Amino acid sequence: DTAVSQTPKYLVTQMGNDKSIKCEQNLGHDTMYWYKQDSKKFLKIMFSYNNKELIINETVPNRFSPKSPDKAHLNLHINSLELGDSAVYFCASSQGSSTATDTQYFGPGTRLTVL
Amino acid sequence: AQKVTQAQTEISVVEKEDVTLDCVYETRDTTYYLFWYKQPPSGELVFLIRRNSFDEQNEISGRYSWNFQKSTSSFNFTITASQVVDSAVYFCALSEPPGAGNNRKLIWGLGTSLAVNP
């Protein structure tokens, strides 16, 4: 019973391609997130959705577009992939977004390699 | 400004040694939460603990213990009798004060890479 799942786990693609990463949570949480972890392990939040509404949108190139069809799913689409997009992308979820108590639970990550 | 500092970039110990991972934070919040996460070599991020700013009692969970000291703005993590399976990157995080829409983000430290050698 995976709480937060992501597909695919690995993604290798050429520069200029468009790709999507999917995320699903079965925890009944209202809030979902996308993070990018670079090669130095630095974790940077990219987006957050609460009940399908975008609530956090960090400084991210507009080639990245999140979509939340329902509160259990949050997908990330990336257009015109660049070498610098190579990273591990983590999806996470939490019960809510407005209280300090909300623990974020993470998916297994998607390792994106752009050649 | 809110900040989390994990000054130890890498630590290497021999199995069965005790090891403490430091976490120092800065915040303007009076109510805040601190977190520790573990990232083993397999790559997933595993939640370990959440501690609120009003509860300064130390927490122990098996070989893991956490020392929260508000006076020094620290939330240190100790592994007793370390094992090879403890090898991982450990992240400390702090809840940020609410922004627009009362939404909070986590402020992450850069992580401490712990290697436990047999």
Side-chain angles (χ1 to χ4, degrees), chain A residues 21-39:
Chain A
I21 307 172
K22 295 186 175 183
C23 178
E24 177 181 0
Q25 55 95 3
N26 62 9
L27 296 167
H29 287 167
D30 289 338
T31 306
M32 295 183 73
Y33 309 80
W34 278 112
Y35 282 87
K36 179 180 180 180
Q37 186 177 46
D38 63 22
S39 57

Side-chain angles (χ1 to χ4, degrees), chain A residues 37 58 97-98 101 103-104, chain B residues 37 39 50 103-105:
Chain A
Q37 186 177 46
E58 293 294 283
S97 65
S98 62
T101 63
T103 298
Q104 295 180 23
Chain B
Y37 284 82
Q39 187 173 35
R50 180 187 73 214
N103 301 310
R104 290 179 179 262
K105 294 183 289 188

Side-chain angles (χ1 to χ4, degrees), chain A residues 9 33 35 37 40-45 50 55-56 58 88 90 97-109, chain B residues 29 31-33 35 37 39-40 42-47 50 89 91 95 98 100-106 108-110:
Chain A
K9 189 160 171 62
Y33 309 80
Y35 282 87
Q37 186 177 46
K40 294 187 176 173
K41 299 284 189 181
F42 179 65
L43 274 161
K44 177 179 161 53
I45 188 164
N50 181 261
I55 57 171
I56 293 174
E58 293 294 283
V88 179
F90 284 99
S97 65
S98 62
T99 70
T101 63
D102 294 320
T103 298
Q104 295 180 23
Y105 295 92
F106 284 78
Chain B
D29 251 350
T31 302
Y32 52 89
Y33 279 72
F35 302 80
Y37 284 82
Q39 187 173 35
S42 49
E44 70 272 26
L45 275 159
V46 179
F47 164 69
R50 180 187 73 214
V89 179
F91 292 94
S95 60
N102 205 32
N103 301 310
R104 290 179 179 262
K105 294 183 289 188
L106 287 182
W108 293 83
L110 296 181

Side-chain angles (χ1 to χ4, degrees), chain B residues 3-7 22-26 72-76 92:
Chain B
K3 190 178 173 184
V4 173
T5 302
Q6 294 181 255
D22 297 334
C23 173
V24 173
Y25 63 92
E26 294 173 33
T72 55
S73 297
S74 64
F75 186 40
N76 296 338
C92 181

Side-chain angles (χ1 to χ4, degrees), chain B residues 67-82:
Chain B
N67 184 336
F68 175 36
Q69 295 214 342
K70 230 169 163 176
S71 59
T72 55
S73 297
S74 64
F75 186 40
N76 296 338
F77 173 28
T78 297
I79 302 175
T80 303
S82 59

